Amino acid sequence: MRLTTLLDADGRPRVGVLDDDVIRLLDAGGPTMAQVIDGGAEALADVARRVRHGDAVPVAAATFGPLLTPPSVRDFLTYERHLAELAGSVPTEWYEEPLFYFSNPAAITAPYAEVRIPPRVREFDYELEVGVVVGRAGSDLSPRAAADHILGYTIFNDWSGRDLQVREMRFPMGPSKSKDSAITLGPWLVTADELADRVEDGLLALRTEVHLNGVRTGGDVTSNMSWSFPELVAYASRGTVVRPGDVLGSGTCGTGCLAEIRRTNPDTAPGWLRAGDVVRLDVEELGFTQNRLVAGPAAVEVPAGRRRIGVGE
C-alpha cells in the first residue's frame, strides 16, 4: 500500500491510500497514521478493507498534511561519496558503525508545504534522503530480525542551516538549531512489500533526484549506501527500543545537497536557498516532494551566557 495523510476542509487529518489517480480516505474520525502504524498488520488490513468504500479524492486536488508525527527521528550518514566530497576524506572509523544524530519529531512538514527559512540562517540547504519507518517495537535486533520490523519507506528532506551547523559542530554536542526547523516526509508511506523486488544484494535500489527551480542539481541510487536499512534499524535498537512510527533517515546521498556541490563545483554551483526557491525531490516508487521556501521570522534574542569563572578573560 501507499499510505498518506490528507487534510479535510476543516484542516483535520485523514489517512488515505493511493488507488491509481485517486486517494481513498478513511472515514472522518478514523485512526490517525500513528494509530495505523501502531496497529501493525491487522490495522493495515483493516485500512485496506475500509477505504474501498471511502471518499475518493483525485491526487491532483488533494491537500496533503504532514505524513506522521514520529516518536523519534534518527538521521544517519551512510553515503560514502557524500562524506568524501563534503569533508575531503573518509576517516577509517566511519566504516566501523553507522553514525546518526537525533532530530526533531515536531518539525515534520507536509510534502508540498511552504518551508520557512529559520532565523539567522543565511546558508539554508536541502538534503536528499530516504527514510525508513519502523512498524514493530524491538530491542537489540539483528539485521535479519530488523527487516521484519520495517513497515515501509518515504522521502526524507533534512533541511539544514549550514552556517549554524559549522558553529555548532565546533563543540562535541552534534547539530542542534541547524537541524531543528523542518523535515519534509512523504507524500507516501510505501509499505515494504511493495519494494521487495527493488532489493539488490540486501540493499534497496531506488534512483533519487533533486531539482532546484526546475534544474537538476544532484541524484544517486540508494544501493550506494554503506549500510542497509535493516542494518540501520538493528543498530538503532542496540541497547534501547525502536518503536512503531520511528523514522530513520538514510543520510544525504551523493550530490544530494548544496553544501556538497558548492564544495566540489564552486564556480557553477547554485547559491544557498532563498525565499521563492522551489526544491523538488524525486525517488523511484516513493513519488516526489516539492517545497517552496519562504522568509522565516526574526530571531528571538537570548542573552549571552554569564561568565562564572573568568576563563578567556
Side-chain angles (χ1 to χ4, degrees), residues 111-187:
Y112 309 113
E114 293 181 338
V115 169
R116 299 194 305 176
I117 298 173
R120 290 190 172 171
V121 171
R122 294 182 176 84
E123 298 179 0
F124 202 45
D125 202 356
Y126 56 78
E127 296 198 40
L128 171 56
E129 309 186 23
V130 169
V132 64
V133 180
V134 174
R136 292 169 49 204
S139 180
D140 294 300
L141 301 168
S142 68
R144 181 186 293 269
D148 293 330
H149 288 252
I150 291 175
L151 175 65
Y153 301 89
T154 190
I155 297 173
F156 186 118
N157 189 344
D158 173 36
W159 302 92
S160 301
R162 298 300 188 187
D163 42 354
L164 297 189
Q165 186 178 8
V166 168
R167 177 182 180 277
E168 291 166 354
M169 296 305 285
R170 295 173 185 163
F171 302 92
M173 295 285 289
S176 53
K177 295 308 293 183
S178 61
K179 300 279 192 173
D180 203 32
S181 63
I183 300 167
T184 298
L185 300 179

Side-chain angles (χ1 to χ4, degrees), residues 225-283:
M225 293 167 60
S226 290
W227 289 270
S228 70
F229 283 107
E231 289 166 343
L232 300 186
V233 174
Y235 184 73
S237 76
R238 182 188 295 176
T240 187
V241 178
V242 291
R243 296 168 292 178
D246 280 352
V247 174
L248 286 66
S250 64
T252 310
C253 69
T255 70
C257 68
L258 289 173
E260 182 183 331
I261 59 177
R262 285 175 60 83
R263 176 181 169 87
T264 55
N265 299 286
D267 295 333
T268 58
W272 299 108
L273 298 176
R274 294 289 181 262
D277 286 342
V278 176
V279 176
R280 172 170 169 149
L281 306 188
D282 286 81
V283 179

Side-chain angles (χ1 to χ4, degrees), residues 100-113:
F100 73 87
Y101 68 91
F102 281 102
S103 196
N104 184 0
I108 305 302
T109 70
Y112 309 113

